[in-house]
Amino acid sequence: MAPIPTMSKPICLIENSGGKPCVNEEAKKVLENILQPLVVVSIVGQYRSGKSYLLNKLSKGGFSLGHTLNANTKGIWMKCIPHPKKSDHTLILLDTEGVGDVEKGNLQNDDMILSLAVLMSSAVIYNSKAAINQDAVKKLHTMTGTYQFISEKASKQNGQDVQAGDDDHMSSLLVWAVRDFTLKLEINGRPVTADEYLENSLQDITPVKTPRTQEQNKVRKTIRKCFPKRKCFVFDFPLSDLDMSTLDQVSETKLQPRFVEQTKDFCEFILQEVPPKRLRGGMTATGSRFAHLLQSYLDVVKEKDFAILTSSFSNMFITENGKMMDKSIEVYEAKMSSQNVKSREEFEQIHKATEEEAKLEFNKLYVKHEKSQDEYQAELKAELLKKKDEVWKTCEESSLQRCNAIIEQLKSTLDQNIKENKYHTHGGLKTFINDKNVIIEEYKQKQDKGVKAEHVLQIFLSSLEPIEEIISKAEKEEEISAPKPKILKMTDRNDPTQLTQYIQSYQLPPGPFKRILIQLFGFAGHGKSSFVNSCIYAVNGGNFNDYAGEATSQGGKTLDRRGYQLTNNITIVDNRGFAKLDSTEEWEIYAQLCNCVPLNEMVSWNKSLEERLDLVTQRALEETSDVVVPVLIYSSQQSLGEELKNIREFLKQAQILTRILPFIVLTKSKMVKQSTLKDKFLQMGMENVYCIENYLQSDHLSLLTKHRNILTVLYDILDAVNFHMMTKSNLQNQRREWMSFLMKRAGSIQR
């Protein structure tokens, strides 16, 4: 909070020149800069009665005691200090001009000033002398006449609508300070406290027999009604023959000990027990709010019209609630702008949570008045929706800038090679595709790309399609004009060289199929990504690279469906690994199998029914030219336990959907001499079961046996495809069957 201004001396708050009170603008500015809650204590009473002394004891000095019989304090003077007992609060002390100044001769002016002090205060100290007698009671009643009238009028105006706390702004604590008290605190010979003494003095005089006693009772009843909370302190003479003007200069050791103790008790009570100033509806008064109401307080006592204050409260509440709305919107915008979201779905989730936080924060600070909380909530929601659109637009623009910068950086070498026609040579298409895939992988590894990451990547890939087509066309023309390479006939399937040449030169027969998708499925961490790397290494040779992102035995890393081009006709697909292969994952697994999920997109296990149906509807309209081969990757070091039933069901369904018997590749089989696991798969009716050892980053020394085993799997897959071609499958019918299957299963599989 803003620091409290340093005030060594009081400043005039309400000027009273010529009996025309007005607000001092300099003091008002001081209050406007105080954002802390206020405890406002004022003191009233006859002039030259020592009011300023008590305020000096509360504030460590600064109020003038005067040195003549003339009233020294004109109007209302204010001193602001940090509250000694309440942290983060400000204590406002108000010293009013004394009543009964013969030079003024204007009782109405006294009444106005004193009523104003009572109206503004958390507690008002009434300073009188000698005793609480009928004269002292009558003087208090007289000097606060305007306040009494306003209080009664406010109660009638509010009627039955007044709720607990709503009229706190009209109720000040009365602290009656009786100076130079010489009586004994006794009632009918019984010792009493100062509070009991006060209450007894304000009780009705009974029995009522005369007009005079009736009038006295009316006065007492009015005071009790105006000040429902009351406290009394009595003070002995501080010192005999003491000049009050020099009281502050006398050491406490020379004052009467009882007077010193009474003064300490008084100060302790004021500082400890007087609450913060409350406004209408229970709102705590801060310096800025108090300054806002100053002129209204003054106008109320001038015009004796409480409606002035009601209107001022209403305007202030509208302003305060508006500020709270602005603050809630600012907090929302700051939190939303700081989020690094990756998708619109994630953005919407964060928006809902942040919107709820903003609403709850506003509700805590909302001030009740004529405009309902629901109306404010509706306005706040509308403003947050506008801000949401602005933040989303900023997220998109920021993400576009970052992603485009990343693409520009990564494709610089590719652009240079294209410019120098380095891909327009024999084998240039393969090199181009490898370079493109390297860019894709490096791009995906970059963090904090934002919501447009996939969009920018697809635009980049689309920009390469014409170039790739030109390179492909040039390579085909070169192949046509160049001597046909001699393709060895497969005479020995154990010969890695023949296997490699066969796979590299394999061409799909004329027909609807243009590409083979070798679909890899399996549990996370069982070696799918390593099998992809091993196939690329075995078929293409060269240096070993971790294209697919090799995982560990603790679990897989692939969360999307990635495609890797093995040859011009063969793409190997690393689908997202299972966690359980149960009903929570089953639909997404079949969606990958049926080629419903686009390549190189994130795979989520928990799509809603609507999202699943939308995906199927969208993909059903697309044409296909892919022949799908299902391959299950399973670690030889894992036994088949509870998942056996689910695996059997998956393999059976995969065969029905693709018309091809699934292939089983058992990885990590180096230490397994005799695989009982292989026998279990054979017992399921699987005919193509292979035990292999993948190449790894930590173990990629090219070995003949490893190469042959991996190439054999690929060769047998192509052989199965050749057999499948003979069935003359109708691709569109098959795709319709897939989409129908996914539609039926979309709602039945648990989420």
Side-chain angles (χ1 to χ4, degrees):
M1 292 187 177
I4 301 170
T6 302
M7 297 182 68
S8 59
K9 294 183 178 181
I11 184 173
C12 185
L13 177 64
I14 303 296
E15 298 175 351
N16 189 21
S17 176
K20 296 180 179 180
C22 64
V23 175
N24 184 329
E25 291 299 321
E26 182 182 353
K28 183 178 178 182
K29 290 179 181 179
V30 171
L31 288 169
E32 286 174 344
N33 291 322
I34 300 176
L35 303 180
Q36 295 179 322
L38 302 184
V39 176
V40 185
V41 178
S42 63
I43 189 165
V44 301
Q46 287 188 307
Y47 79 104
R48 300 295 299 131
S49 62
K51 302 190 308 299
S52 299
Y53 173 78
L54 292 179
L55 292 181
N56 282 333
K57 300 307 291 184
L58 291 169
S59 66
K60 308 300 182 184
F63 289 94
S64 173
L65 268 66
H67 57 280
T68 71
L69 291 177
N70 297 321
N72 201 49
T73 303
K74 299 296 182 181
I76 299 178
W77 288 68
M78 170 188 77
K79 185 175 183 182
C80 309
I81 62 171
H83 199 290
K85 299 290 185 179
K86 294 179 172 62
S87 61
D88 297 327
H89 284 62
T90 298
L91 178 62
I92 304 290
L93 298 172
L94 302 179
D95 190 8
T96 64
E97 64 180 68
V99 298
D101 185 356
V102 295
E103 292 185 2
K104 289 190 298 183
N106 188 344
L107 294 178
Q108 289 184 348
N109 185 264
D110 287 346
D111 177 19
M112 187 181 299
I113 290 295
L114 297 175
S115 295
L116 181 60
V118 176
L119 196 61
M120 292 192 300
S121 302
S122 310
V124 58
I125 303 168
Y126 176 41
N127 197 55
S128 68
K129 285 192 173 185
I132 302 177
N133 51 31
Q134 182 58 33
D135 183 59
V137 171
K138 187 175 182 180
K139 285 180 180 178
L140 175 61
H141 178 265
T142 301
M143 72 176 63
T144 56
T146 298
Y147 172 75
Q148 296 163 21
F149 178 82
I150 295 169
S151 179
E152 291 177 1
K153 196 171 181 180
S155 298
K156 291 178 181 179
Q157 177 179 320
N158 290 335
Q160 299 302 318
D161 294 331
V162 178
Q163 298 180 5
D166 279 357
D167 58 354
D168 280 357
H169 64 290
M170 291 296 298
S171 177
S172 297
L173 168 65
L174 173 64
V175 180
W176 197 316
V178 186
R179 308 290 290 276
D180 303 340
F181 187 75
T182 58
L183 302 176
K184 287 186 178 181
L185 282 174
E186 291 183 354
I187 299 176
N188 298 325
R190 178 179 62 86
V192 294
T193 64
D195 291 339
E196 291 171 330
Y197 171 61
L198 171 61
E199 295 307 311
N200 183 71
S201 301
L202 295 178
Q203 290 301 310
D204 289 351
I205 300 173
T206 58
V208 177
K209 294 181 179 181
T210 67
R212 180 182 178 185
T213 55
Q214 285 182 329
E215 181 62 27
Q216 290 175 342
N217 284 343
K218 182 179 178 181
V219 168
R220 297 176 184 215
K221 181 179 180 180
T222 301
I223 293 176
R224 295 198 304 269
K225 184 177 179 181
C226 288
F227 301 103
K229 298 177 182 178
R230 300 176 290 275
K231 180 70 178 176
C232 182
F233 288 91
V234 296
F235 298 84
D236 291 0
F237 276 100
L239 193 64
S240 59
D241 301 327
L242 180 68
D243 182 1
M244 289 296 296
S245 66
T246 62
L247 185 58
D248 272 344
Q249 303 171 17
V250 178
S251 171
E252 283 191 354
T253 58
K254 295 183 179 180
L255 297 176
Q256 292 286 354
R258 185 173 173 78
F259 174 81
V260 172
E261 188 65 28
Q262 290 165 339
T263 303
K264 287 181 179 179
D265 290 344
F266 167 82
C267 292
E268 181 69 19
F269 175 83
I270 295 297
L271 297 177
Q272 194 72 46
E273 301 299 331
V274 175
K277 172 65 179 173
R278 298 292 179 183
L279 305 177
R280 187 177 180 185
M283 176 189 282
T284 301
T286 61
S288 58
R289 293 169 181 166
F290 194 71
H292 179 90
L293 295 171
L294 272 178
Q295 187 61 49
S296 297
Y297 282 134
L298 188 55
D299 291 341
V300 166
V301 297
K302 283 181 178 179
E303 305 296 332
K304 297 185 179 181
D305 186 359
F306 181 75
I308 296 173
L309 191 57
T310 300
S311 176
S312 185
F313 275 133
S314 181
N315 293 334
M316 185 179 70
F317 293 160
I318 291 173
T319 301
E320 289 287 328
N321 285 331
K323 289 179 181 179
M324 293 307 104
M325 279 190 64
D326 292 342
K327 182 178 179 181
S328 296
I329 293 170
E330 289 175 4
V331 171
Y332 169 88
E333 182 178 19
K335 187 167 184 179
M336 290 297 294
S337 299
S338 66
Q339 302 295 323
N340 182 30
V341 296
K342 298 179 181 178
S343 66
R344 180 77 190 205
E345 180 182 11
E346 183 183 359
F347 180 83
E348 290 290 346
Q349 291 175 349
I350 296 175
H351 159 72
K352 288 180 181 178
T354 309
E355 180 186 43
E356 195 61 30
E357 289 179 17
K359 289 180 179 179
L360 291 174
E361 188 63 26
F362 175 79
N363 288 343
K364 292 178 184 177
L365 302 172
Y366 165 75
V367 182
K368 179 182 176 183
H369 70 112
E370 291 81 1
K371 189 173 180 179
S372 71
Q373 190 170 5
D374 289 341
E375 291 178 282
Y376 277 109
Q377 285 283 9
E379 288 184 17
L380 179 59
K381 184 175 182 179
E383 291 298 321
L384 292 180
L385 286 176
K386 291 180 184 178
K387 192 61 65 176
K388 168 193 167 187
D389 292 339
E390 294 176 10
V391 174
W392 174 252
K393 185 177 180 181
T394 301
C395 285
E396 287 186 312
E397 293 174 351
S398 177
S399 177
L400 280 172
Q401 292 178 0
R402 292 197 301 271
C403 293
N404 284 327
I406 294 172
I407 287 291
E408 286 298 320
Q409 179 186 7
L410 295 177
K411 75 184 185 75
S412 58
T413 302
L414 183 75
D415 287 343
Q416 187 64 29
N417 290 343
I418 293 172
K419 184 177 180 180
E420 296 175 1
N421 293 324
K422 288 188 177 181
Y423 298 117
H424 291 71
T425 60
H426 180 69
L429 179 61
K430 179 181 176 181
T431 304
F432 175 83
I433 292 173
N434 285 340
D435 290 348
K436 178 183 71 173
N437 288 337
V438 168
I439 292 174
I440 293 172
E441 289 308 308
E442 290 183 358
Y443 177 81
K444 288 184 175 181
Q445 295 300 320
K446 297 290 185 180
Q447 300 297 315
D448 301 331
K449 295 188 293 292
V451 296
K452 303 298 287 185
E454 188 61 28
H455 174 75
V456 171
L457 177 60
Q458 292 305 318
I459 290 177
F460 166 66
L461 295 178
S462 296
S463 70
L464 296 182
E465 288 178 359
I467 300 172
E468 186 171 340
E469 186 176 348
I470 293 171
I471 295 172
S472 176
K473 185 177 180 180
E475 190 166 82
K476 288 178 180 178
E477 291 175 352
E478 183 180 347
E479 289 176 356
I480 293 172
S481 60
K484 298 293 181 183
K486 184 178 180 180
I487 301 176
L488 295 177
K489 185 178 180 181
M490 283 294 298
T491 58
D492 184 3
R493 60 175 288 156
N494 291 320
D495 183 354
T497 302
Q498 289 190 40
L499 289 170
T500 302
Q501 290 179 343
Y502 179 81
I503 295 168
Q504 289 178 340
S505 61
Y506 179 84
Q507 298 290 327
L508 282 164
F513 293 108
K514 303 300 181 185
R515 179 175 65 170
I516 299 172
L517 285 185
I518 301 176
Q519 293 256 43
L520 304 185
F521 295 91
F523 289 93
H526 279 229
K528 289 190 290 81
S529 299
S530 296
F531 183 68
V532 172
N533 293 334
S534 299
C535 289
I536 296 174
Y537 186 35
V539 172
N540 297 324
N543 296 324
F544 175 81
N545 289 300
D546 182 18
Y547 294 107
E550 176 185 312
T552 66
S553 60
Q554 282 73 40
K557 297 193 297 184
T558 306
L559 299 180
D560 50 9
R561 183 172 182 255
R562 301 180 186 176
Y564 301 88
Q565 191 167 5
L566 197 59
T567 70
N568 289 338
N569 301 286
I570 307 170
T571 294
I572 188 167
V573 180
D574 187 3
N575 290 296
R576 180 173 180 178
F578 317 146
K580 300 178 181 179
L581 189 55
D582 59 7
S583 59
T584 61
E585 302 174 345
E586 191 178 5
W587 191 89
E588 297 294 341
I589 293 169
Y590 285 128
Q592 293 178 97
L593 176 67
C594 296
N595 209 19
C596 186
V597 180
L599 290 177
N600 303 317
E601 282 196 10
M602 187 71 69
V603 176
S604 172
W605 296 130
N606 55 357
K607 286 189 180 73
S608 66
L609 174 60
E610 292 74 15
E611 289 174 322
R612 292 175 175 178
L613 295 178
D614 287 345
L615 179 62
V616 174
T617 302
Q618 178 184 352
R619 297 289 285 179
L621 300 175
E622 300 177 6
E623 295 184 357
T624 184
S625 58
D626 298 328
V627 55
V628 174
V629 182
V631 179
L632 178 69
I633 307 295
Y634 200 88
S635 172
S636 296
Q637 297 178 358
Q638 302 291 328
S639 60
L640 276 173
E642 296 179 356
E643 65 272 15
L644 177 62
K645 179 181 178 181
N646 291 336
I647 289 177
R648 182 187 289 112
E649 175 62 25
F650 168 73
L651 294 174
K652 177 182 177 181
Q653 195 64 58
Q655 181 183 0
I656 294 173
L657 291 170
T658 63
R659 315 287 200 278
I660 295 178
L661 188 66
F663 285 72
I664 311 299
V665 177
L666 304 178
T667 62
K668 306 178 183 180
S669 59
K670 184 176 181 180
M671 303 303 294
V672 181
K673 294 181 179 180
Q674 184 175 1
S675 177
T676 56
L677 189 61
K678 179 176 181 179
D679 293 338
K680 288 185 179 181
F681 280 106
L682 291 173
Q683 291 170 9
M684 292 183 201
M686 300 297 104
E687 298 175 1
N688 304 299
V689 185
Y690 306 84
C691 296
I692 70 161
E693 189 70 26
N694 280 323
Y695 285 108
L696 306 173
Q697 293 185 76
S698 59
D699 181 15
H700 55 262
L701 179 64
S702 179
L703 298 176
L704 182 64
T705 302
K706 276 189 179 183
H707 263 53
R708 183 174 60 242
N709 291 342
I710 294 167
L711 293 169
T712 298
V713 176
L714 296 174
Y715 174 80
D716 288 348
I717 288 174
L718 297 180
D719 194 44
V721 171
N722 290 334
F723 179 78
H724 182 64
M725 295 296 100
M726 297 171 61
T727 63
K728 299 181 180 180
S729 299
N730 186 308
L731 272 179
Q732 297 311 315
N733 286 343
Q734 185 183 51
R735 187 163 185 80
R736 279 193 290 271
E737 290 176 9
W738 289 355
M739 298 303 111
S740 177
F741 169 80
L742 291 175
M743 280 284 192
K744 292 178 181 178
R745 306 275 290 204
S748 61
I749 298 176
Q750 297 178 7
R751 290 184 283 126

